[in-house]
Amino acid sequence: MSQLPERINTDHENVERGLASLVLTIIELLRQLMERQALRRIERGDLADEQVERMGRTFMALEQRMNELCDQFGLTAEDLDIDLGPLGPLLGNDFDGSG
């Protein structure tokens, strides 16, 4: 059994960046799921043109804000994409962090 270090690095910046990474990963995962659901509804014709337009603007604004927050905390798309081992990356290729 490996031994834990006597002291855990609790540097404020590292903790803040780690927490931001975790929160932004969850937000990005939810954004992708909502976007996929919206696309399914659009393909089925369940939404009026006005609803489609409003959702498009909302998703674009959310993606822009996500990119701003990643920049603010010095995070990249790779920082948010958790490796799930044999299952592959959590976010896959859908998030490139470029806007």
Side-chain angles (χ1 to χ4, degrees):
M1 182 188 311
S2 67
Q3 211 173 13
L4 290 175
E6 286 185 33
R7 189 168 184 180
I8 297 175
N9 183 1
T10 58
D11 177 77
H12 176 72
E13 287 183 26
N14 286 336
V15 171
E16 186 177 76
R17 188 172 186 271
L19 182 58
S21 175
L22 176 62
V23 170
L24 291 176
T25 297
I26 293 168
I27 292 170
E28 178 58 22
L29 178 61
L30 292 173
R31 185 195 68 78
Q32 286 184 18
L33 293 172
M34 289 175 9
E35 197 169 80
R36 287 181 186 137
Q37 180 64 28
L39 288 173
R40 281 193 286 272
R41 291 185 66 194
I42 291 169
E43 289 171 359
R44 286 195 315 243
D46 291 349
L47 302 172
D49 290 344
E50 179 183 308
Q51 291 172 306
V52 172
E53 181 69 27
R54 189 173 52 234
M55 281 194 321
R57 286 192 308 265
T58 300
F59 284 122
M60 286 173 36
L62 180 56
E63 184 176 8
Q64 179 180 349
R65 185 64 178 133
M66 282 290 296
N67 290 328
E68 291 169 2
L69 289 168
C70 283
D71 288 345
Q72 179 179 339
F73 288 100
L75 298 169
T76 65
E78 292 80 26
D79 294 327
L80 302 186
D81 201 2
I82 299 170
D83 182 7
L84 299 175
L87 297 176
L90 176 66
L91 299 176
N93 297 325
D94 290 347
F95 178 64
D96 66 7
S98 65

